Amino acid sequence: MLENIRIVLVNTSHTGNIGSTARAMKTMGLSNLYLVDPVSAPDGHASALAAGAGDVLANAKTVATLQEAVADCGLVVGTSARSRTHSWPMLEPRSCGRKLIEEVPNYPVALVFGRENNGLTNEELQQCHFHVCIPANPEYSSLNLAAAVQTLCYEVRMAWLEKEAFPPTENDYPLNDDLERFYTHLESTLTGTGFIVKNHPGMVMTKLRRLFNRARPESAELNILRGILSSIDKSVK
């Protein structure tokens, strides 16, 4: 079960943080590390800070984009240190751990961490179903990347140890790649009807992404929505 929980680091600047992340993961029983466009590939410094977690570091997968890292995931949670202009469904660290454990029997799940200096972009956060924020001291809330990974991995492990208390979910949610295809189809259809003006798209798709992520349609429901869009496309043509 824990092998299907994916820790994703986006555009990490310091290789030492990658090594420390591998160590934080292994202490909690996690091993699936993805690196999205790291500034530098893991090096000797990363290996030194990984300590006994060299296997996690050695097996880390490097990809170019966040979309590639989470395409086959049914649940994606992004870490966010601050409120954004358009609020997203939020989880506390404890409920985040539980949600990941509840859904991981059905498909891979991902916990995404952003850059050391400014976290995840709004566009990257829009690829996540939920956001999680660690309620640190408001007077000094700056957490080191590896410390943030350790905190949330701890919550995942605590939820895993208590997994018998959480019945498995019976909902069949689409993978992230399926959702992205739906959003592409939705934008295309709304552009075709004139609802979205191509030269002045505004925030329509951002708000619709937020709406559907909040509603979280199941696979069958997403198929119905895709069918509705296809019927609109035919009518417009």
Side-chain angles (χ1 to χ4, degrees):
M1 185 184 294
L2 295 179
E3 291 177 355
N4 268 340
I5 298 176
R6 190 172 299 174
I7 301 299
V8 182
L9 304 185
V10 177
N11 199 211
T12 310
S13 298
H14 305 293
T15 58
N17 283 331
I18 298 175
S20 295
T21 290
R23 182 175 183 176
M25 290 170 60
K26 189 164 185 176
T27 59
M28 295 297 124
L30 304 181
S31 59
N32 198 349
L33 176 60
Y34 271 65
L35 307 176
V36 177
D37 187 29
V39 173
S40 299
D43 54 13
H45 187 45
S47 298
L49 290 180
D55 54 333
V56 176
L57 189 62
N59 292 322
K61 298 176 181 65
T62 300
V63 296
T65 65
L66 177 58
Q67 184 173 350
E68 186 178 351
V70 301
D72 61 337
C73 293
L75 174 65
V76 182
V77 181
T79 53
S80 178
R82 59 188 184 277
S83 297
R84 304 290 172 139
T85 304
H86 300 285
S87 59
W88 222 252
M90 292 292 300
L91 295 171
E92 294 295 326
R94 191 138 302 169
S95 59
C96 174
R98 289 176 177 175
K99 195 157 196 65
L100 290 167
I101 291 298
E102 285 172 359
E103 298 195 20
V104 72
N106 304 324
Y107 33 62
V109 299
L111 189 53
V112 184
F113 296 83
R115 300 155 187 82
E116 292 94 334
N117 57 345
N118 55 7
L120 295 167
T121 65
N122 286 328
E123 290 74 17
E124 290 161 347
L125 284 167
Q126 287 175 24
Q127 296 183 51
C128 305
H129 299 100
F130 297 91
H131 297 169
V132 60
C133 179
I134 298 172
N137 176 8
E139 295 179 4
Y140 187 71
S141 59
S142 179
L143 270 176
N144 173 269
L145 174 59
V149 173
Q150 185 76 80
T151 300
L152 292 177
C153 286
Y154 169 81
E155 295 296 348
V156 169
R157 184 161 187 82
M158 292 302 99
W160 177 71
L161 292 173
E162 299 174 1
K163 63 183 180 298
E164 296 303 322
F166 307 108
T169 178
E170 296 181 359
N171 294 327
D172 178 23
Y173 292 116
L175 300 181
N176 208 62
D177 208 27
D178 298 324
L179 274 176
E180 289 301 321
R181 282 193 289 268
F182 164 69
Y183 290 133
T184 299
H185 191 175
L186 179 61
E187 184 172 11
S188 173
T189 299
L190 294 180
T191 302
T193 63
F195 187 82
I196 292 179
V197 180
K198 191 171 184 179
N199 294 331
H200 303 283
M203 301 298 293
V204 173
M205 284 307 302
T206 295
K207 292 181 178 180
L208 287 174
R209 276 178 172 266
R210 182 177 59 169
L211 185 155
F212 283 109
N213 275 0
R214 186 168 62 242
R216 206 159 175 222
E218 298 172 9
S219 293
E221 294 168 336
L222 194 70
N223 289 336
I224 292 172
L225 291 170
R226 291 292 299 270
I228 291 172
L229 293 177
S230 294
S231 70
I232 293 172
D233 293 341
K234 290 178 183 177
S235 297
V236 171
K237 288 179 181 179

